[in-house]
Amino acid sequence: MTAQPIPVIIDCDTGVDDALALLFAVRHPGIDLRAVTCVAGNTDVDGVVRNTLTVLERAGAGDVPVARGAERPLIEAARSARHVHGTDGMGDLGLPAPARRPVDVDAVTLLRREILASPRPVTLVPTAPLTNIALLLRTHPEVTRNIERIVFMGGAVATGNATPVAEFNVWHDPEAAAILLTAGVPITMYGLDVFQRVVVPGADVRRLRASTEPGARLAGDLLAHRPAAPDPDGDDPDGGLGDAGAVCAVADPAGLTTRHLPVEVSLAPGATRGQTVVDRRPRPGEAEIHGAGRERAMVDVALDVDVARYVQLYLETIAA
Ligand code: BDR
Ligand code: CA
């Protein structure tokens, strides 16, 4: 018997690699993409909505509902990543404006509606700052009864990009990330440690770019905008899957090695703000022994990834 597709909602800040994630989710037969919600992050929220609609149309999924969400984090100002994602947030590929408009309800309302309406519990996949998700959990906590799990791209065990120790999505809205971690549903953290490793070889990127099929060609153009490292020959750069790896982890969890570990988001101003503090100690330390331990959420933290498996999965799915 074939397994039923997993109902999935993606909350994103499209975003070159969010676009790669959307293309994969639309094309993977094991995923039923029920809605997409948008939040400020890589670019402003209106740009995110436009980019998301364009990608879904290009992927042949013009009927998936898209909603506009928060235009800034809970406390701080929005700080885009346009230097990475281009002035339009989509690699300045010159893509056409979408023909469609977002639904006429906000992201939190659409999230609540789609989660509660789903005949089977939904897997929520945030690939962006967690502002919409925090607002959802605080406004409509009853949604957790129909959430199977949350697989989010964010945080890191041992590295950073926005700062030496903080990953962009968590750093952009640390308070929202802290709320996410206490959602009370199973959470998988697909952090930078694995995110940065899943890279498509340059020859495959070139092949996708030469495709006559619009979705595959878009995937190639997006990957070419995400060089993993400078290409010694200058013409065939590898391309990082980025956020798309988190959706691969939903479709094929066996490719990801996780450990159930305590995680806390650093909310203090200063050098560690936005860091995900992951506790890998084998035994309690002096803090716990002397009663000064802290309450922390338990999270399935991604520690390793089968890179070849996810690259193959991505390429086969996009080509299908
Ligand atoms: C995350 O930040 C964004 O730039 C990417 O889309 C990804 O979600 C990586 O830190
Ligand atoms: Ca993103």
Side-chain angles (χ1 to χ4, degrees):
M1 199 181 76
T2 326
Q4 284 188 305
I6 303 163
V8 166
I9 299 177
I10 295 182
D11 182 73
C12 57
D13 60 342
T14 321
V16 172
D17 57 328
D18 302 81
L20 289 166
L22 292 170
L23 286 169
F24 177 83
V26 166
R27 297 214 161 162
H28 194 284
I31 290 179
D32 171 17
L33 183 63
R34 301 185 70 86
V36 180
T37 50
C38 302
V39 67
N42 289 325
T43 191
D44 63 283
V45 70
D46 290 315
V48 173
V49 170
R50 181 198 61 226
N51 294 340
T52 300
L53 289 167
T54 297
V55 172
L56 291 175
E57 281 176 12
R58 185 63 69 100
D63 54 342
V64 175
V66 172
R68 180 185 191 275
E71 57 186 36
R72 53 168 286 193
L74 296 180
I75 291 178
E76 295 183 280
R79 291 164 291 185
S80 83
R82 288 197 195 93
H83 61 291
V84 177
H85 295 262
T87 51
D88 69 355
M90 273 280 283
D92 296 321
L93 299 175
L95 294 169
R100 205 160 55 104
R101 291 191 43 74
V103 294
D104 59 6
V105 295
D106 63 276
V108 169
T109 306
L110 182 69
L111 282 162
R112 176 183 182 277
R113 192 169 84 191
E114 291 295 329
I115 290 169
L116 294 181
S118 174
R120 286 179 306 119
V122 165
T123 296
L124 201 53
V125 188
T127 60
L130 287 313
T131 321
N132 285 346
I133 307 303
L135 291 169
L136 171 74
L137 292 168
R138 286 293 185 260
T139 317
H140 305 293
E142 72 276 13
V143 293
T144 55
R145 72 166 184 256
N146 210 30
I147 295 178
E148 178 77 30
R149 62 185 187 124
I150 300 176
V151 179
F152 81 102
M153 189 287 128
V157 178
T159 183
N161 56 2
T163 79
V165 296
E167 180 281 331
F168 176 79
N169 290 340
V170 174
W171 171 83
H172 199 257
D173 196 342
E175 281 74 19
I179 291 171
L180 166 95
L181 293 188
T182 58
V185 299
I187 296 180
T188 300
M189 182 172 114
Y190 186 88
L192 276 185
D193 321 82
V194 287
F195 170 99
Q196 290 173 334
R197 290 180 45 208
V198 188
V199 168
V200 177
D204 292 308
V205 175
R206 184 151 43 96
R207 199 170 38 75
L208 284 172
R209 296 187 83 183
S211 171
T212 52
E213 194 282 310
R217 194 167 62 246
L218 176 58
D221 289 343
L222 292 165
L223 284 165
H225 192 81
R226 291 185 54 79
D231 174 28
D233 307 315
D235 58 355
D236 234 3
D238 299 342
L241 278 188
D243 289 339
V247 192
C248 291
V250 173
D252 180 19
L256 201 65
T257 305
T258 62
R259 251 179 83 195
H260 202 53
L261 293 167
V263 180
E264 184 177 12
V265 178
S266 171
L267 301 177
T272 65
R273 183 161 166 79
Q275 179 179 14
T276 44
V277 180
V278 179
D279 190 350
R280 286 185 294 169
R281 294 174 299 169
R283 59 186 72 84
E286 284 68 22
E288 289 76 21
I289 288 162
H290 294 290
R294 301 171 62 81
E295 203 176 313
R296 288 140 333 149
M298 293 300 293
V299 174
D300 295 314
V301 178
L303 296 180
D304 198 6
V305 60
D306 187 334
V307 174
R309 179 171 171 145
Y310 279 2
V311 168
Q312 187 183 355
L313 174 67
Y314 191 84
L315 294 174
E316 284 177 1
T317 303
I318 291 301

